[in-house]
Amino acid sequence: MTNFYPPDSAIDLVIEPRPTMLDLMIKGSVPLPMATRADMKLMHYLASLMHSRASRDVLNMAGLLADSLFIETTAVIVRATACAAPLFLSEMEAEAIATRHSVVLLRHTQGQATVDVTIDLVLPDDGYFRWLQDYRLFRGLAGDSWLVPYGDGPSVRLLPHGLFLTEHAPYADDWDRRAGVARASAHLDSHLHGGWSWR
């Protein structure tokens, strides 16, 4: 920034540092609104599926995913919102760049008896980021938890030590996939509306 004064005065020259691309991304982004009770329940639910402890995201340097949880044993940042895609995809990417952690955004319906959840993920992968969008919760017959695509794409197993990405689906066909998604939906519904404690 340069300030000019009348000719009889000296020129006051102030050189400001050049912004990085990350600074530009963050400045052009809008933080998610404060997390609601439903958002917090969903975030803790995902942590419970990974059998991992979650805490408020102290590594949220960018401040873009306010009220997010940090799943400690897996180094995953989780946030929930009632906003539909494609909102907040750039904020997820900026958060992943700033922290070098995987970022999971749970998108849920609001004000309905049954909660429908879709998931967007951005995963750091050898110097670039891998996007997985419009995923669903899937529950296997053995109680294993997955994130599966609506169509083609890799599946993600939720494990205590991280997100395990695999090209092998946990279901045999479309009927099996629908059944697993229905099991996951019933499991989530029982935790949201049943007597299960979120602590």
Side-chain angles (χ1 to χ4, degrees), residues 45-62:
Y45 175 72
L46 187 73
S48 74
L49 292 179
M50 299 178 77
H51 305 285
S52 184
R53 203 175 80 178
S55 62
R56 293 282 179 154
D57 179 18
V58 294
L59 297 178
N60 186 3
M61 297 180 290

mmCIF file with all atom_site columns, all heavy atoms in Angstrom, residues 45-62:
data_model
loop_
_atom_site.group_PDB
_atom_site.id
_atom_site.type_symbol
_atom_site.label_atom_id
_atom_site.label_alt_id
_atom_site.label_comp_id
_atom_site.label_asym_id
_atom_site.label_entity_id
_atom_site.label_seq_id
_atom_site.pdbx_PDB_ins_code
_atom_site.Cartn_x
_atom_site.Cartn_y
_atom_site.Cartn_z
_atom_site.occupancy
_atom_site.B_iso_or_equiv
_atom_site.pdbx_formal_charge
_atom_site.auth_seq_id
_atom_site.auth_comp_id
_atom_site.auth_asym_id
_atom_site.auth_atom_id
_atom_site.pdbx_PDB_model_num
ATOM 1   N N   . TYR A 1 45 ? -21.723 -38.960 16.590 1.00 0.00 ? 45 TYR A N   1
ATOM 2   C CA  . TYR A 1 45 ? -22.125 -40.279 16.086 1.00 0.00 ? 45 TYR A CA  1
ATOM 3   C C   . TYR A 1 45 ? -21.043 -40.853 15.167 1.00 0.00 ? 45 TYR A C   1
ATOM 4   O O   . TYR A 1 45 ? -20.672 -42.024 15.289 1.00 0.00 ? 45 TYR A O   1
ATOM 5   C CB  . TYR A 1 45 ? -23.459 -40.172 15.347 1.00 0.00 ? 45 TYR A CB  1
ATOM 6   C CG  . TYR A 1 45 ? -23.891 -41.454 14.705 1.00 0.00 ? 45 TYR A CG  1
ATOM 7   C CD1 . TYR A 1 45 ? -24.352 -42.526 15.478 1.00 0.00 ? 45 TYR A CD1 1
ATOM 8   C CD2 . TYR A 1 45 ? -23.851 -41.612 13.325 1.00 0.00 ? 45 TYR A CD2 1
ATOM 9   C CE1 . TYR A 1 45 ? -24.747 -43.714 14.891 1.00 0.00 ? 45 TYR A CE1 1
ATOM 10  C CE2 . TYR A 1 45 ? -24.260 -42.800 12.735 1.00 0.00 ? 45 TYR A CE2 1
ATOM 11  C CZ  . TYR A 1 45 ? -24.694 -43.845 13.516 1.00 0.00 ? 45 TYR A CZ  1
ATOM 12  O OH  . TYR A 1 45 ? -25.084 -45.023 12.935 1.00 0.00 ? 45 TYR A OH  1
ATOM 13  N N   . LEU A 1 46 ? -20.518 -40.025 14.258 1.00 0.00 ? 46 LEU A N   1
ATOM 14  C CA  . LEU A 1 46 ? -19.465 -40.506 13.365 1.00 0.00 ? 46 LEU A CA  1
ATOM 15  C C   . LEU A 1 46 ? -18.232 -40.919 14.157 1.00 0.00 ? 46 LEU A C   1
ATOM 16  O O   . LEU A 1 46 ? -17.625 -41.954 13.873 1.00 0.00 ? 46 LEU A O   1
ATOM 17  C CB  . LEU A 1 46 ? -19.091 -39.438 12.331 1.00 0.00 ? 46 LEU A CB  1
ATOM 18  C CG  . LEU A 1 46 ? -18.110 -39.932 11.266 1.00 0.00 ? 46 LEU A CG  1
ATOM 19  C CD1 . LEU A 1 46 ? -18.798 -40.878 10.296 1.00 0.00 ? 46 LEU A CD1 1
ATOM 20  C CD2 . LEU A 1 46 ? -17.493 -38.779 10.519 1.00 0.00 ? 46 LEU A CD2 1
ATOM 21  N N   . ALA A 1 47 ? -17.875 -40.152 15.177 1.00 0.00 ? 47 ALA A N   1
ATOM 22  C CA  . ALA A 1 47 ? -16.729 -40.515 16.025 1.00 0.00 ? 47 ALA A CA  1
ATOM 23  C C   . ALA A 1 47 ? -16.981 -41.851 16.712 1.00 0.00 ? 47 ALA A C   1
ATOM 24  O O   . ALA A 1 47 ? -16.073 -42.683 16.830 1.00 0.00 ? 47 ALA A O   1
ATOM 25  C CB  . ALA A 1 47 ? -16.465 -39.425 17.057 1.00 0.00 ? 47 ALA A CB  1
ATOM 26  N N   . SER A 1 48 ? -18.229 -42.081 17.153 1.00 0.00 ? 48 SER A N   1
ATOM 27  C CA  . SER A 1 48 ? -18.542 -43.357 17.819 1.00 0.00 ? 48 SER A CA  1
ATOM 28  C C   . SER A 1 48 ? -18.448 -44.526 16.845 1.00 0.00 ? 48 SER A C   1
ATOM 29  O O   . SER A 1 48 ? -18.058 -45.625 17.227 1.00 0.00 ? 48 SER A O   1
ATOM 30  C CB  . SER A 1 48 ? -19.936 -43.302 18.463 1.00 0.00 ? 48 SER A CB  1
ATOM 31  O OG  . SER A 1 48 ? -20.954 -43.371 17.483 1.00 0.00 ? 48 SER A OG  1
ATOM 32  N N   . LEU A 1 49 ? -18.798 -44.308 15.572 1.00 0.00 ? 49 LEU A N   1
ATOM 33  C CA  . LEU A 1 49 ? -18.665 -45.375 14.576 1.00 0.00 ? 49 LEU A CA  1
ATOM 34  C C   . LEU A 1 49 ? -17.199 -45.761 14.368 1.00 0.00 ? 49 LEU A C   1
ATOM 35  O O   . LEU A 1 49 ? -16.891 -46.894 14.008 1.00 0.00 ? 49 LEU A O   1
ATOM 36  C CB  . LEU A 1 49 ? -19.275 -44.941 13.236 1.00 0.00 ? 49 LEU A CB  1
ATOM 37  C CG  . LEU A 1 49 ? -20.791 -44.769 13.190 1.00 0.00 ? 49 LEU A CG  1
ATOM 38  C CD1 . LEU A 1 49 ? -21.224 -44.319 11.799 1.00 0.00 ? 49 LEU A CD1 1
ATOM 39  C CD2 . LEU A 1 49 ? -21.508 -46.060 13.580 1.00 0.00 ? 49 LEU A CD2 1
ATOM 40  N N   . MET A 1 50 ? -16.296 -44.801 14.595 1.00 0.00 ? 50 MET A N   1
ATOM 41  C CA  . MET A 1 50 ? -14.862 -45.065 14.448 1.00 0.00 ? 50 MET A CA  1
ATOM 42  C C   . MET A 1 50 ? -14.235 -45.486 15.774 1.00 0.00 ? 50 MET A C   1
ATOM 43  O O   . MET A 1 50 ? -13.023 -45.684 15.845 1.00 0.00 ? 50 MET A O   1
ATOM 44  C CB  . MET A 1 50 ? -14.164 -43.818 13.896 1.00 0.00 ? 50 MET A CB  1
ATOM 45  C CG  . MET A 1 50 ? -14.694 -43.434 12.524 1.00 0.00 ? 50 MET A CG  1
ATOM 46  S SD  . MET A 1 50 ? -13.939 -41.927 11.873 1.00 0.00 ? 50 MET A SD  1
ATOM 47  C CE  . MET A 1 50 ? -12.367 -42.580 11.342 1.00 0.00 ? 50 MET A CE  1
ATOM 48  N N   . HIS A 1 51 ? -15.067 -45.611 16.829 1.00 0.00 ? 51 HIS A N   1
ATOM 49  C CA  . HIS A 1 51 ? -14.592 -45.999 18.155 1.00 0.00 ? 51 HIS A CA  1
ATOM 50  C C   . HIS A 1 51 ? -13.422 -45.121 18.585 1.00 0.00 ? 51 HIS A C   1
ATOM 51  O O   . HIS A 1 51 ? -12.400 -45.600 19.068 1.00 0.00 ? 51 HIS A O   1
ATOM 52  C CB  . HIS A 1 51 ? -14.186 -47.476 18.183 1.00 0.00 ? 51 HIS A CB  1
ATOM 53  C CG  . HIS A 1 51 ? -15.277 -48.388 17.733 1.00 0.00 ? 51 HIS A CG  1
ATOM 54  N ND1 . HIS A 1 51 ? -16.363 -48.675 18.510 1.00 0.00 ? 51 HIS A ND1 1
ATOM 55  C CD2 . HIS A 1 51 ? -15.468 -49.050 16.560 1.00 0.00 ? 51 HIS A CD2 1
ATOM 56  C CE1 . HIS A 1 51 ? -17.173 -49.490 17.856 1.00 0.00 ? 51 HIS A CE1 1
ATOM 57  N NE2 . HIS A 1 51 ? -16.657 -49.727 16.667 1.00 0.00 ? 51 HIS A NE2 1
ATOM 58  N N   . SER A 1 52 ? -13.590 -43.824 18.375 1.00 0.00 ? 52 SER A N   1
ATOM 59  C CA  . SER A 1 52 ? -12.513 -42.888 18.653 1.00 0.00 ? 52 SER A CA  1
ATOM 60  C C   . SER A 1 52 ? -13.020 -41.707 19.461 1.00 0.00 ? 52 SER A C   1
ATOM 61  O O   . SER A 1 52 ? -14.198 -41.357 19.393 1.00 0.00 ? 52 SER A O   1
ATOM 62  C CB  . SER A 1 52 ? -11.928 -42.383 17.337 1.00 0.00 ? 52 SER A CB  1
ATOM 63  O OG  . SER A 1 52 ? -10.829 -41.551 17.578 1.00 0.00 ? 52 SER A OG  1
ATOM 64  N N   . ARG A 1 53 ? -12.119 -41.116 20.211 1.00 0.00 ? 53 ARG A N   1
ATOM 65  C CA  . ARG A 1 53 ? -12.446 -39.946 21.005 1.00 0.00 ? 53 ARG A CA  1
ATOM 66  C C   . ARG A 1 53 ? -12.414 -38.705 20.120 1.00 0.00 ? 53 ARG A C   1
ATOM 67  O O   . ARG A 1 53 ? -11.542 -38.568 19.263 1.00 0.00 ? 53 ARG A O   1
ATOM 68  C CB  . ARG A 1 53 ? -11.431 -39.801 22.127 1.00 0.00 ? 53 ARG A CB  1
ATOM 69  C CG  . ARG A 1 53 ? -11.938 -38.998 23.298 1.00 0.00 ? 53 ARG A CG  1
ATOM 70  C CD  . ARG A 1 53 ? -10.941 -39.002 24.388 1.00 0.00 ? 53 ARG A CD  1
ATOM 71  N NE  . ARG A 1 53 ? -9.925  -38.000 24.044 1.00 0.00 ? 53 ARG A NE  1
ATOM 72  C CZ  . ARG A 1 53 ? -8.906  -37.704 24.820 1.00 0.00 ? 53 ARG A CZ  1
ATOM 73  N NH1 . ARG A 1 53 ? -8.725  -38.325 25.945 1.00 0.00 ? 53 ARG A NH1 1
ATOM 74  N NH2 . ARG A 1 53 ? -8.047  -36.784 24.462 1.00 0.00 ? 53 ARG A NH2 1
ATOM 75  N N   . ALA A 1 54 ? -13.360 -37.809 20.343 1.00 0.00 ? 54 ALA A N   1
ATOM 76  C CA  . ALA A 1 54 ? -13.418 -36.583 19.568 1.00 0.00 ? 54 ALA A CA  1
ATOM 77  C C   . ALA A 1 54 ? -13.386 -35.388 20.496 1.00 0.00 ? 54 ALA A C   1
ATOM 78  O O   . ALA A 1 54 ? -13.893 -35.437 21.607 1.00 0.00 ? 54 ALA A O   1
ATOM 79  C CB  . ALA A 1 54 ? -14.682 -36.562 18.725 1.00 0.00 ? 54 ALA A CB  1
ATOM 80  N N   . SER A 1 55 ? -12.758 -34.317 20.030 1.00 0.00 ? 55 SER A N   1
ATOM 81  C CA  . SER A 1 55 ? -12.704 -33.083 20.806 1.00 0.00 ? 55 SER A CA  1
ATOM 82  C C   . SER A 1 55 ? -12.935 -31.912 19.864 1.00 0.00 ? 55 SER A C   1
ATOM 83  O O   . SER A 1 55 ? -12.886 -32.076 18.639 1.00 0.00 ? 55 SER A O   1
ATOM 84  C CB  . SER A 1 55 ? -11.352 -32.950 21.498 1.00 0.00 ? 55 SER A CB  1
ATOM 85  O OG  . SER A 1 55 ? -10.324 -32.886 20.520 1.00 0.00 ? 55 SER A OG  1
ATOM 86  N N   . ARG A 1 56 ? -13.173 -30.748 20.441 1.00 0.00 ? 56 ARG A N   1
ATOM 87  C CA  . ARG A 1 56 ? -13.300 -29.552 19.617 1.00 0.00 ? 56 ARG A CA  1
ATOM 88  C C   . ARG A 1 56 ? -12.031 -29.392 18.802 1.00 0.00 ? 56 ARG A C   1
ATOM 89  O O   . ARG A 1 56 ? -10.933 -29.666 19.285 1.00 0.00 ? 56 ARG A O   1
ATOM 90  C CB  . ARG A 1 56 ? -13.507 -28.310 20.476 1.00 0.00 ? 56 ARG A CB  1
ATOM 91  C CG  . ARG A 1 56 ? -14.821 -28.286 21.197 1.00 0.00 ? 56 ARG A CG  1
ATOM 92  C CD  . ARG A 1 56 ? -15.928 -27.884 20.268 1.00 0.00 ? 56 ARG A CD  1
ATOM 93  N NE  . ARG A 1 56 ? -17.193 -27.886 20.978 1.00 0.00 ? 56 ARG A NE  1
ATOM 94  C CZ  . ARG A 1 56 ? -18.214 -27.154 20.633 1.00 0.00 ? 56 ARG A CZ  1
ATOM 95  N NH1 . ARG A 1 56 ? -18.137 -26.360 19.596 1.00 0.00 ? 56 ARG A NH1 1
ATOM 96  N NH2 . ARG A 1 56 ? -19.339 -27.222 21.295 1.00 0.00 ? 56 ARG A NH2 1
ATOM 97  N N   . ASP A 1 57 ? -12.169 -28.940 17.577 1.00 0.00 ? 57 ASP A N   1
ATOM 98  C CA  . ASP A 1 57 ? -11.041 -28.869 16.650 1.00 0.00 ? 57 ASP A CA  1
ATOM 99  C C   . ASP A 1 57 ? -10.109 -27.717 17.010 1.00 0.00 ? 57 ASP A C   1
ATOM 100 O O   . ASP A 1 57 ? -10.313 -26.590 16.576 1.00 0.00 ? 57 ASP A O   1
ATOM 101 C CB  . ASP A 1 57 ? -11.564 -28.722 15.225 1.00 0.00 ? 57 ASP A CB  1
ATOM 102 C CG  . ASP A 1 57 ? -10.451 -28.616 14.210 1.00 0.00 ? 57 ASP A CG  1
ATOM 103 O OD1 . ASP A 1 57 ? -9.315  -28.990 14.546 1.00 0.00 ? 57 ASP A OD1 1
ATOM 104 O OD2 . ASP A 1 57 ? -10.722 -28.162 13.099 1.00 0.00 ? 57 ASP A OD2 1
ATOM 105 N N   . VAL A 1 58 ? -9.079  -28.006 17.782 1.00 0.00 ? 58 VAL A N   1
ATOM 106 C CA  . VAL A 1 58 ? -8.123  -26.976 18.176 1.00 0.00 ? 58 VAL A CA  1
ATOM 107 C C   . VAL A 1 58 ? -7.156  -26.652 17.039 1.00 0.00 ? 58 VAL A C   1
ATOM 108 O O   . VAL A 1 58 ? -6.458  -25.643 17.080 1.00 0.00 ? 58 VAL A O   1
ATOM 109 C CB  . VAL A 1 58 ? -7.325  -27.396 19.426 1.00 0.00 ? 58 VAL A CB  1
ATOM 110 C CG1 . VAL A 1 58 ? -8.238  -27.504 20.621 1.00 0.00 ? 58 VAL A CG1 1
ATOM 111 C CG2 . VAL A 1 58 ? -6.594  -28.715 19.208 1.00 0.00 ? 58 VAL A CG2 1
ATOM 112 N N   . LEU A 1 59 ? -7.098  -27.492 16.010 1.00 0.00 ? 59 LEU A N   1
ATOM 113 C CA  . LEU A 1 59 ? -6.200  -27.241 14.883 1.00 0.00 ? 59 LEU A CA  1
ATOM 114 C C   . LEU A 1 59 ? -6.867  -26.413 13.795 1.00 0.00 ? 59 LEU A C   1
ATOM 115 O O   . LEU A 1 59 ? -6.299  -26.230 12.725 1.00 0.00 ? 59 LEU A O   1
ATOM 116 C CB  . LEU A 1 59 ? -5.724  -28.570 14.280 1.00 0.00 ? 59 LEU A CB  1
ATOM 117 C CG  . LEU A 1 59 ? -4.903  -29.446 15.205 1.00 0.00 ? 59 LEU A CG  1
ATOM 118 C CD1 . LEU A 1 59 ? -4.546  -30.740 14.502 1.00 0.00 ? 59 LEU A CD1 1
ATOM 119 C CD2 . LEU A 1 59 ? -3.649  -28.726 15.652 1.00 0.00 ? 59 LEU A CD2 1
ATOM 120 N N   . ASN A 1 60 ? -8.059  -25.909 14.055 1.00 0.00 ? 60 ASN A N   1
ATOM 121 C CA  . ASN A 1 60 ? -8.802  -25.172 13.048 1.00 0.00 ? 60 ASN A CA  1
ATOM 122 C C   . ASN A 1 60 ? -8.181  -23.781 12.856 1.00 0.00 ? 60 ASN A C   1
ATOM 123 O O   . ASN A 1 60 ? -8.746  -22.783 13.255 1.00 0.00 ? 60 ASN A O   1
ATOM 124 C CB  . ASN A 1 60 ? -10.271 -25.070 13.473 1.00 0.00 ? 60 ASN A CB  1
ATOM 125 C CG  . ASN A 1 60 ? -11.135 -24.452 12.403 1.00 0.00 ? 60 ASN A CG  1
ATOM 126 O OD1 . ASN A 1 60 ? -10.659 -24.140 11.319 1.00 0.00 ? 60 ASN A OD1 1
ATOM 127 N ND2 . ASN A 1 60 ? -12.389 -24.260 12.725 1.00 0.00 ? 60 ASN A ND2 1
ATOM 128 N N   . MET A 1 61 ? -7.014  -23.768 12.223 1.00 0.00 ? 61 MET A N   1
ATOM 129 C CA  . MET A 1 61 ? -6.296  -22.505 12.036 1.00 0.00 ? 61 MET A CA  1
ATOM 130 C C   . MET A 1 61 ? -7.049  -21.568 11.110 1.00 0.00 ? 61 MET A C   1
ATOM 131 O O   . MET A 1 61 ? -7.043  -20.364 11.295 1.00 0.00 ? 61 MET A O   1
ATOM 132 C CB  . MET A 1 61 ? -4.909  -22.789 11.462 1.00 0.00 ? 61 MET A CB  1
ATOM 133 C CG  . MET A 1 61 ? -4.025  -23.606 12.380 1.00 0.00 ? 61 MET A CG  1
ATOM 134 S SD  . MET A 1 61 ? -2.409  -23.924 11.653 1.00 0.00 ? 61 MET A SD  1
ATOM 135 C CE  . MET A 1 61 ? -2.823  -25.056 10.340 1.00 0.00 ? 61 MET A CE  1
ATOM 136 N N   . ALA A 1 62 ? -7.698  -22.119 10.095 1.00 0.00 ? 62 ALA A N   1
ATOM 137 C CA  . ALA A 1 62 ? -8.393  -21.273 9.134  1.00 0.00 ? 62 ALA A CA  1
ATOM 138 C C   . ALA A 1 62 ? -9.692  -20.726 9.695  1.00 0.00 ? 62 ALA A C   1
ATOM 139 O O   . ALA A 1 62 ? -10.173 -19.701 9.253  1.00 0.00 ? 62 ALA A O   1
ATOM 140 C CB  . ALA A 1 62 ? -8.662  -22.061 7.856  1.00 0.00 ? 62 ALA A CB  1
#
